Amino acid sequence: MSARKEALRILFEVFKNNKFSNKLLSNLKQTTAMSKEDIAFVFKLVYGTIQYKIYLEYVVNKIIDSNKTDLKIQILLWMNLYQLKFLKAKAYYVINEAVDIAKSINKNYSGLVNKVSKILEDENIWEVKIKNKQNVFPLENGFPFWLYKKIENDYSKEQAQQFILHSNIESKISLRLNTLKISLEDFEKKYFEKYKLEKSQLIEYFYLSNKNIINQEIFLEGYVTVQDQMSGYASYILAPKENSKVLDMCSAPGGKLTHLAQIMKNTGKIHAYELQENKIHLIKQNLSRLGVKNVILECKNALEIEEEKYDFILLDAPCSGYGVIRQKPEIKLKKYSEQENEELVLLQSKLLEKAYNCTNKGTEILYSTCTINKKENEEQINNFLLKHKDIEKIYEKVFFGNEYDNDGFYICKMKRI
């Protein structure tokens, strides 16, 4: 199985059928038909082509008529340019294999692929020359101008540019130590050097790694779980006490949920809800693997739950996801309509109201999103606080991803007084 041909197949599913590359690539890990090196190359080629798609398309369209060229051929040319410019691959191998792949799609395109690919070797054609000078930097980095301007308007030009640069840096795997099964001292003594771990600068029992550990002993035995540092920081900031009653309103995939249980040392009760039935099985697997025993899990819309009173409430709300572009670069290729934006903000608002109805005096609420969008974050919370004068803000922070080699994230902790 050709690595480049497999990358093309996955990219076609992403661009044509709006599939998520991380899910398609996860399936690829299960195959025995490709070497680990080839699978790693497919990952790099797929993510890189998606990350820079806006730029790659701009350059390729200088040469071809996109309206008259098969989409698969266009994607193949984007892949070629990515390899030539960003991977510094030898043109001979890139072009020869691309021509062979083109023949398998439609032999009539092989000549076009050969001709265009040779033109793409010329670095002069890589230059961005557009009238809108504000868009040169975003376009060179494969970032949509509309999202760049949104971040700039919400925060600053410098912050927007830093976010763009960071979004194209390959991320390390973030791991949370599960102290329900092993102590920090024992874990570090046995596994720190073995897996070449790097300590997180944010939370003591989080680690960064360049190694895939999904099929390794430390993962299978439940000693660690894969969780972004910012996702873990949300539960860390909520800090539910032992023997307390906790509500997790939107639980999948279970990272924050199992972290809450860990913080509570498996005491008290966590009522967890997840709307999507297909994710319940994944959450149960994580609960079992990590030895979590204080969770009551239900497949139910959080807006429809009975309004019991809780000591701590976690609302990790559905959001636009701009903060995790580094992990899911497809997100930046979809621009939500005004109606979609309004519906999303309204849903978040309704979930916050449901959370409020589950509070007593002293209840603490943690609202988080994995996006960088003031309407979904700061403005959403400000509106909530205006409506409820008995809620005070304890902590609020926007993370842009470059602080601790993390994803973009928003966290706000509140308390009913």
Side-chain angles (χ1 to χ4, degrees), residues 178-181 240-244 257-270 287-288 290-295:
N178 178 26
T179 53
L180 294 176
K181 285 203 167 184
K241 294 180 174 64
E242 291 180 38
N243 297 304
S244 55
L257 173 61
T258 55
H259 191 195
L260 291 172
Q262 177 177 324
I263 292 168
M264 296 163 65
K265 298 181 180 177
N266 254 342
T267 65
K269 283 294 177 189
I270 306 175
L287 293 174
S288 175
L290 299 172
V292 172
K293 298 174 181 177
N294 63 342
V295 168

Side-chain angles (χ1 to χ4, degrees), residues 192-208:
F192 192 81
E193 291 297 331
K194 181 178 179 180
Y195 289 98
K196 294 180 171 56
L197 300 176
E198 174 188 336
K199 287 186 77 72
S200 164
Q201 298 302 304
L202 187 65
I203 305 174
E204 182 186 21
Y205 49 88
F206 270 68
Y207 302 86
L208 300 177

Side-chain angles (χ1 to χ4, degrees), residues 339-352:
Q339 182 180 344
E340 287 174 317
N341 281 321
E342 288 172 8
E343 288 174 354
L344 185 57
V345 171
L346 179 60
L347 173 59
Q348 293 164 347
S349 176
K350 287 180 176 178
L351 287 166
L352 275 166

Side-chain angles (χ1 to χ4, degrees), residues 61 64-70 74:
N61 283 355
I64 68 166
D65 183 342
S66 60
N67 294 318
K68 296 179 180 178
T69 308
D70 183 274
Q74 291 186 60

Side-chain angles (χ1 to χ4, degrees), residues 62 84 89 102-103 108 113-114 146 204 239 243 255 290 307 316-317 325 342 350 360-361 376 388-389 391 407:
K62 291 181 181 181
L84 294 170
K103 286 177 183 176
N108 295 325
V113 168
N114 185 56
W146 63 268
E204 182 186 21
N243 297 304
L290 299 172
E307 294 177 356
D316 185 51
I325 281 173
E342 288 172 8
K350 287 180 176 178
N360 275 322
K361 184 177 179 181
E376 299 177 62
H388 300 290
K389 302 298 184 182
I391 297 287
D407 286 339

